[in-house]
mmCIF file of all heavy atoms in Angstrom:
data_model
loop_
_atom_site.group_PDB
_atom_site.id
_atom_site.type_symbol
_atom_site.label_atom_id
_atom_site.label_comp_id
_atom_site.label_asym_id
_atom_site.label_seq_id
_atom_site.Cartn_x
_atom_site.Cartn_y
_atom_site.Cartn_z
ATOM 1 N N LEU A 135 12.526 -9.771 -1.042
ATOM 2 C CA LEU A 135 12.421 -8.610 -1.923
ATOM 3 C C LEU A 135 11.955 -7.416 -1.099
ATOM 4 O O LEU A 135 11.310 -7.586 -0.054
ATOM 5 C CB LEU A 135 11.416 -8.849 -3.054
ATOM 6 C CG LEU A 135 11.816 -9.756 -4.205
ATOM 7 C CD1 LEU A 135 10.620 -10.009 -5.121
ATOM 8 C CD2 LEU A 135 12.966 -9.162 -4.990
ATOM 9 N N ARG A 136 12.258 -6.238 -1.595
ATOM 10 C CA ARG A 136 11.838 -5.014 -0.918
ATOM 11 C C ARG A 136 11.146 -4.117 -1.937
ATOM 12 O O ARG A 136 11.706 -3.834 -3.006
ATOM 13 C CB ARG A 136 13.033 -4.292 -0.311
ATOM 14 C CG ARG A 136 12.693 -3.025 0.460
ATOM 15 C CD ARG A 136 13.971 -2.430 1.036
ATOM 16 N NE ARG A 136 13.777 -1.191 1.750
ATOM 17 C CZ ARG A 136 13.476 -1.115 3.035
ATOM 18 N NH1 ARG A 136 13.315 -2.216 3.744
ATOM 19 N NH2 ARG A 136 13.316 0.064 3.624
ATOM 20 N N LEU A 137 9.946 -3.688 -1.598
ATOM 21 C CA LEU A 137 9.203 -2.750 -2.427
ATOM 22 C C LEU A 137 9.221 -1.383 -1.762
ATOM 23 O O LEU A 137 9.161 -1.286 -0.532
ATOM 24 C CB LEU A 137 7.763 -3.223 -2.598
ATOM 25 C CG LEU A 137 7.541 -4.647 -3.119
ATOM 26 C CD1 LEU A 137 6.038 -4.930 -3.233
ATOM 27 C CD2 LEU A 137 8.230 -4.852 -4.435
ATOM 28 N N SER A 138 9.269 -0.352 -2.589
ATOM 29 C CA SER A 138 9.232 1.009 -2.081
ATOM 30 C C SER A 138 8.201 1.809 -2.851
ATOM 31 O O SER A 138 7.946 1.547 -4.039
ATOM 32 C CB SER A 138 10.596 1.674 -2.191
ATOM 33 O OG SER A 138 11.548 1.056 -1.358
ATOM 34 N N CYS A 139 7.633 2.786 -2.183
ATOM 35 C CA CYS A 139 6.644 3.644 -2.820
ATOM 36 C C CYS A 139 6.857 5.071 -2.329
ATOM 37 O O CYS A 139 7.066 5.296 -1.133
ATOM 38 C CB CYS A 139 5.237 3.158 -2.454
ATOM 39 S SG CYS A 139 3.914 3.988 -3.347
ATOM 40 N N THR A 140 6.794 5.999 -3.247
ATOM 41 C CA THR A 140 6.939 7.417 -2.909
ATOM 42 C C THR A 140 5.786 8.192 -3.515
ATOM 43 O O THR A 140 5.458 8.021 -4.702
ATOM 44 C CB THR A 140 8.258 7.979 -3.434
ATOM 45 O OG1 THR A 140 9.343 7.224 -2.899
ATOM 46 C CG2 THR A 140 8.414 9.439 -3.024
ATOM 47 N N ALA A 141 5.182 9.011 -2.688
ATOM 48 C CA ALA A 141 4.094 9.858 -3.148
ATOM 49 C C ALA A 141 4.599 11.270 -3.320
ATOM 50 O O ALA A 141 5.186 11.846 -2.397
ATOM 51 C CB ALA A 141 2.939 9.823 -2.152
ATOM 52 N N GLY A 142 4.391 11.820 -4.498
ATOM 53 C CA GLY A 142 4.830 13.180 -4.777
ATOM 54 C C GLY A 142 3.664 14.053 -5.167
ATOM 55 O O GLY A 142 2.680 13.587 -5.731
ATOM 56 N N GLY A 143 3.803 15.330 -4.858
ATOM 57 C CA GLY A 143 2.735 16.267 -5.181
ATOM 58 C C GLY A 143 2.564 17.266 -4.066
ATOM 59 O O GLY A 143 3.253 17.208 -3.052
ATOM 60 N N THR A 144 1.632 18.116 -4.254
ATOM 61 C CA THR A 144 1.403 19.175 -3.286
ATOM 62 C C THR A 144 0.323 18.745 -2.304
ATOM 63 O O THR A 144 -0.866 18.902 -2.554
ATOM 64 C CB THR A 144 0.986 20.479 -3.997
ATOM 65 O OG1 THR A 144 1.950 20.799 -4.974
ATOM 66 C CG2 THR A 144 0.857 21.600 -2.988
ATOM 67 N N PHE A 145 0.748 18.138 -1.233
ATOM 68 C CA PHE A 145 -0.178 17.771 -0.171
ATOM 69 C C PHE A 145 0.618 17.606 1.110
ATOM 70 O O PHE A 145 1.844 17.587 1.093
ATOM 71 C CB PHE A 145 -0.948 16.486 -0.510
ATOM 72 C CG PHE A 145 -0.096 15.346 -0.941
ATOM 73 C CD1 PHE A 145 0.513 14.489 -0.029
ATOM 74 C CD2 PHE A 145 0.116 15.091 -2.301
ATOM 75 C CE1 PHE A 145 1.309 13.449 -0.448
ATOM 76 C CE2 PHE A 145 0.917 14.057 -2.720
ATOM 77 C CZ PHE A 145 1.514 13.229 -1.784
ATOM 78 N N GLY A 146 -0.074 17.457 2.209
ATOM 79 C CA GLY A 146 0.580 17.340 3.496
ATOM 80 C C GLY A 146 0.983 15.912 3.796
ATOM 81 O O GLY A 146 1.043 15.064 2.906
ATOM 82 N N SER A 147 1.244 15.661 5.062
ATOM 83 C CA SER A 147 1.668 14.321 5.474
ATOM 84 C C SER A 147 0.529 13.319 5.293
ATOM 85 O O SER A 147 -0.638 13.636 5.481
ATOM 86 C CB SER A 147 2.107 14.346 6.930
ATOM 87 O OG SER A 147 3.222 15.189 7.106
ATOM 88 N N ILE A 148 0.918 12.135 4.947
ATOM 89 C CA ILE A 148 -0.050 11.057 4.723
ATOM 90 C C ILE A 148 -0.090 10.176 5.957
ATOM 91 O O ILE A 148 0.956 9.770 6.460
ATOM 92 C CB ILE A 148 0.350 10.224 3.510
ATOM 93 C CG1 ILE A 148 0.453 11.115 2.269
ATOM 94 C CG2 ILE A 148 -0.657 9.104 3.273
ATOM 95 C CD1 ILE A 148 1.097 10.428 1.095
ATOM 96 N N ASP A 149 -1.270 9.870 6.436
ATOM 97 C CA ASP A 149 -1.398 9.065 7.641
ATOM 98 C C ASP A 149 -1.712 7.597 7.360
ATOM 99 O O ASP A 149 -1.537 6.763 8.237
ATOM 100 C CB ASP A 149 -2.508 9.623 8.538
ATOM 101 C CG ASP A 149 -2.098 10.927 9.182
ATOM 102 O OD1 ASP A 149 -0.882 11.116 9.397
ATOM 103 O OD2 ASP A 149 -2.977 11.757 9.453
ATOM 104 N N ASP A 150 -2.226 7.296 6.208
ATOM 105 C CA ASP A 150 -2.721 5.948 5.938
ATOM 106 C C ASP A 150 -2.059 5.439 4.660
ATOM 107 O O ASP A 150 -2.415 5.864 3.569
ATOM 108 C CB ASP A 150 -4.239 5.992 5.784
ATOM 109 C CG ASP A 150 -4.862 4.599 5.761
ATOM 110 O OD1 ASP A 150 -4.153 3.635 5.410
ATOM 111 O OD2 ASP A 150 -6.052 4.474 6.087
ATOM 112 N N MET A 151 -1.124 4.518 4.824
ATOM 113 C CA MET A 151 -0.385 3.963 3.699
ATOM 114 C C MET A 151 -0.503 2.457 3.716
ATOM 115 O O MET A 151 -0.664 1.846 4.786
ATOM 116 C CB MET A 151 1.102 4.335 3.791
ATOM 117 C CG MET A 151 1.367 5.808 3.912
ATOM 118 S SD MET A 151 3.065 6.089 4.491
ATOM 119 C CE MET A 151 3.245 7.849 4.185
ATOM 120 N N GLY A 152 -0.392 1.853 2.559
ATOM 121 C CA GLY A 152 -0.505 0.408 2.554
ATOM 122 C C GLY A 152 -0.003 -0.229 1.282
ATOM 123 O O GLY A 152 0.390 0.456 0.334
ATOM 124 N N TRP A 153 -0.013 -1.543 1.310
ATOM 125 C CA TRP A 153 0.339 -2.362 0.152
ATOM 126 C C TRP A 153 -0.769 -3.379 -0.078
ATOM 127 O O TRP A 153 -1.241 -4.023 0.872
ATOM 128 C CB TRP A 153 1.665 -3.089 0.375
ATOM 129 C CG TRP A 153 2.844 -2.178 0.359
ATOM 130 C CD1 TRP A 153 3.434 -1.576 1.419
ATOM 131 C CD2 TRP A 153 3.574 -1.766 -0.794
ATOM 132 N NE1 TRP A 153 4.483 -0.808 1.002
ATOM 133 C CE2 TRP A 153 4.594 -0.901 -0.358
ATOM 134 C CE3 TRP A 153 3.464 -2.027 -2.159
ATOM 135 C CZ2 TRP A 153 5.504 -0.313 -1.235
ATOM 136 C CZ3 TRP A 153 4.363 -1.450 -3.029
ATOM 137 C CH2 TRP A 153 5.367 -0.597 -2.565
ATOM 138 N N TYR A 154 -1.154 -3.526 -1.322
ATOM 139 C CA TYR A 154 -2.139 -4.504 -1.734
ATOM 140 C C TYR A 154 -1.505 -5.402 -2.791
ATOM 141 O O TYR A 154 -0.465 -5.057 -3.373
ATOM 142 C CB TYR A 154 -3.375 -3.822 -2.335
ATOM 143 C CG TYR A 154 -4.217 -3.067 -1.365
ATOM 144 C CD1 TYR A 154 -3.782 -1.866 -0.795
ATOM 145 C CD2 TYR A 154 -5.489 -3.527 -0.997
ATOM 146 C CE1 TYR A 154 -4.566 -1.167 0.107
ATOM 147 C CE2 TYR A 154 -6.284 -2.834 -0.105
ATOM 148 C CZ TYR A 154 -5.810 -1.647 0.435
ATOM 149 O OH TYR A 154 -6.600 -0.960 1.325
ATOM 150 N N ARG A 155 -2.142 -6.527 -3.040
ATOM 151 C CA ARG A 155 -1.680 -7.380 -4.124
ATOM 152 C C ARG A 155 -2.873 -8.032 -4.820
ATOM 153 O O ARG A 155 -3.935 -8.202 -4.219
ATOM 154 C CB ARG A 155 -0.716 -8.451 -3.620
ATOM 155 C CG ARG A 155 -1.326 -9.503 -2.715
ATOM 156 C CD ARG A 155 -0.233 -10.429 -2.171
ATOM 157 N NE ARG A 155 -0.798 -11.466 -1.289
ATOM 158 C CZ ARG A 155 -0.042 -12.300 -0.575
ATOM 159 N NH1 ARG A 155 1.296 -12.216 -0.628
ATOM 160 N NH2 ARG A 155 -0.617 -13.199 0.188
ATOM 161 N N GLN A 156 -2.638 -8.382 -6.059
ATOM 162 C CA GLN A 156 -3.665 -9.054 -6.842
ATOM 163 C C GLN A 156 -3.027 -10.152 -7.667
ATOM 164 O O GLN A 156 -2.188 -9.878 -8.521
ATOM 165 C CB GLN A 156 -4.407 -8.072 -7.743
ATOM 166 C CG GLN A 156 -5.606 -8.682 -8.433
ATOM 167 C CD GLN A 156 -6.516 -7.633 -9.043
ATOM 168 O OE1 GLN A 156 -6.127 -6.479 -9.253
ATOM 169 N NE2 GLN A 156 -7.750 -8.015 -9.323
ATOM 170 N N ALA A 157 -3.429 -11.370 -7.375
ATOM 171 C CA ALA A 157 -2.963 -12.529 -8.123
ATOM 172 C C ALA A 157 -3.939 -12.802 -9.266
ATOM 173 O O ALA A 157 -5.108 -12.408 -9.197
ATOM 174 C CB ALA A 157 -2.849 -13.743 -7.210
ATOM 175 N N PRO A 158 -3.500 -13.484 -10.310
ATOM 176 C CA PRO A 158 -4.390 -13.777 -11.440
ATOM 177 C C PRO A 158 -5.661 -14.505 -10.997
ATOM 178 O O PRO A 158 -5.588 -15.489 -10.251
ATOM 179 C CB PRO A 158 -3.531 -14.674 -12.332
ATOM 180 C CG PRO A 158 -2.139 -14.297 -12.016
ATOM 181 C CD PRO A 158 -2.128 -13.966 -10.554
ATOM 182 N N GLY A 159 -6.794 -13.998 -11.415
ATOM 183 C CA GLY A 159 -8.064 -14.622 -11.084
ATOM 184 C C GLY A 159 -8.554 -14.360 -9.681
ATOM 185 O O GLY A 159 -9.588 -14.913 -9.280
ATOM 186 N N LYS A 160 -7.845 -13.522 -8.943
ATOM 187 C CA LYS A 160 -8.249 -13.238 -7.570
ATOM 188 C C LYS A 160 -8.505 -11.754 -7.374
ATOM 189 O O LYS A 160 -8.059 -10.926 -8.162
ATOM 190 C CB LYS A 160 -7.181 -13.731 -6.588
ATOM 191 C CG LYS A 160 -6.991 -15.227 -6.575
ATOM 192 C CD LYS A 160 -6.038 -15.657 -5.484
ATOM 193 C CE LYS A 160 -5.890 -17.161 -5.422
ATOM 194 N NZ LYS A 160 -4.979 -17.586 -4.318
ATOM 195 N N GLN A 161 -9.204 -11.435 -6.297
ATOM 196 C CA GLN A 161 -9.457 -10.042 -5.973
ATOM 197 C C GLN A 161 -8.229 -9.404 -5.344
ATOM 198 O O GLN A 161 -7.397 -10.083 -4.742
ATOM 199 C CB GLN A 161 -10.657 -9.938 -5.017
ATOM 200 C CG GLN A 161 -11.996 -10.283 -5.645
ATOM 201 C CD GLN A 161 -13.155 -9.963 -4.728
ATOM 202 O OE1 GLN A 161 -13.016 -9.987 -3.505
ATOM 203 N NE2 GLN A 161 -14.302 -9.667 -5.302
ATOM 204 N N ARG A 162 -8.153 -8.110 -5.469
ATOM 205 C CA ARG A 162 -7.080 -7.369 -4.816
ATOM 206 C C ARG A 162 -7.287 -7.470 -3.307
ATOM 207 O O ARG A 162 -8.404 -7.306 -2.803
ATOM 208 C CB ARG A 162 -7.081 -5.919 -5.269
ATOM 209 C CG ARG A 162 -5.858 -5.125 -4.836
ATOM 210 C CD ARG A 162 -5.834 -3.753 -5.491
ATOM 211 N NE ARG A 162 -5.740 -3.828 -6.941
ATOM 212 C CZ ARG A 162 -5.542 -2.771 -7.717
ATOM 213 N NH1 ARG A 162 -5.432 -1.573 -7.181
ATOM 214 N NH2 ARG A 162 -5.472 -2.912 -9.025
ATOM 215 N N GLU A 163 -6.194 -7.706 -2.584
ATOM 216 C CA GLU A 163 -6.288 -7.856 -1.142
ATOM 217 C C GLU A 163 -5.250 -6.987 -0.439
ATOM 218 O O GLU A 163 -4.169 -6.741 -0.982
ATOM 219 C CB GLU A 163 -6.095 -9.320 -0.729
ATOM 220 C CG GLU A 163 -4.732 -9.886 -1.069
ATOM 221 C CD GLU A 163 -4.502 -11.276 -0.521
ATOM 222 O OE1 GLU A 163 -5.345 -11.799 0.241
ATOM 223 O OE2 GLU A 163 -3.433 -11.873 -0.842
ATOM 224 N N LEU A 164 -5.603 -6.575 0.776
ATOM 225 C CA LEU A 164 -4.666 -5.815 1.580
ATOM 226 C C LEU A 164 -3.593 -6.738 2.112
ATOM 227 O O LEU A 164 -3.894 -7.787 2.687
ATOM 228 C CB LEU A 164 -5.393 -5.152 2.747
ATOM 229 C CG LEU A 164 -4.516 -4.411 3.748
ATOM 230 C CD1 LEU A 164 -3.870 -3.187 3.096
ATOM 231 C CD2 LEU A 164 -5.321 -3.996 4.973
ATOM 232 N N VAL A 165 -2.348 -6.356 1.929
ATOM 233 C CA VAL A 165 -1.211 -7.114 2.447
ATOM 234 C C VAL A 165 -0.749 -6.524 3.780
ATOM 235 O O VAL A 165 -0.558 -7.252 4.758
ATOM 236 C CB VAL A 165 -0.053 -7.116 1.440
ATOM 237 C CG1 VAL A 165 1.161 -7.831 2.012
ATOM 238 C CG2 VAL A 165 -0.484 -7.749 0.124
ATOM 239 N N ALA A 166 -0.558 -5.217 3.807
ATOM 240 C CA ALA A 166 -0.065 -4.564 5.011
ATOM 241 C C ALA A 166 -0.464 -3.096 4.976
ATOM 242 O O ALA A 166 -0.525 -2.490 3.917
ATOM 243 C CB ALA A 166 1.454 -4.697 5.136
ATOM 244 N N GLY A 167 -0.712 -2.554 6.172
ATOM 245 C CA GLY A 167 -1.041 -1.140 6.276
ATOM 246 C C GLY A 167 -0.319 -0.515 7.463
ATOM 247 O O GLY A 167 0.034 -1.208 8.429
ATOM 248 N N ILE A 168 -0.098 0.796 7.360
ATOM 249 C CA ILE A 168 0.522 1.521 8.460
ATOM 250 C C ILE A 168 -0.154 2.870 8.586
ATOM 251 O O ILE A 168 -0.406 3.546 7.572
ATOM 252 C CB ILE A 168 2.052 1.662 8.261
ATOM 253 C CG1 ILE A 168 2.698 2.283 9.499
ATOM 254 C CG2 ILE A 168 2.380 2.424 6.999
ATOM 255 C CD1 ILE A 168 4.218 2.121 9.504
ATOM 256 N N ARG A 169 -0.485 3.237 9.806
ATOM 257 C CA ARG A 169 -1.266 4.439 10.042
ATOM 258 C C ARG A 169 -0.587 5.340 11.048
ATOM 259 O O ARG A 169 0.517 5.050 11.517
ATOM 260 C CB ARG A 169 -2.673 4.045 10.489
ATOM 261 C CG ARG A 169 -3.463 3.407 9.369
ATOM 262 C CD ARG A 169 -4.758 2.759 9.832
ATOM 263 N NE ARG A 169 -5.481 2.190 8.713
ATOM 264 C CZ ARG A 169 -5.169 1.039 8.131
ATOM 265 N NH1 ARG A 169 -4.161 0.336 8.560
ATOM 266 N NH2 ARG A 169 -5.891 0.592 7.116
ATOM 267 N N SER A 170 -1.258 6.423 11.389
ATOM 268 C CA SER A 170 -0.700 7.391 12.319
ATOM 269 C C SER A 170 -0.309 6.697 13.610
ATOM 270 O O SER A 170 -0.973 5.775 14.074
ATOM 271 C CB SER A 170 -1.720 8.493 12.600
ATOM 272 O OG SER A 170 -2.903 7.949 13.139
ATOM 273 N N GLY A 171 0.816 7.127 14.146
ATOM 274 C CA GLY A 171 1.345 6.504 15.347
ATOM 275 C C GLY A 171 2.124 5.241 15.073
ATOM 276 O O GLY A 171 2.627 4.602 15.998
#
């Protein structure tokens, strides 16, 4: 599967983006992140 996310609004470039997930009964966890460079 492929997930996509788009941020809209009046702001500049974003350097820190990521994906989290939360399964039933569990805490939200970081799946993947991508940063500047």
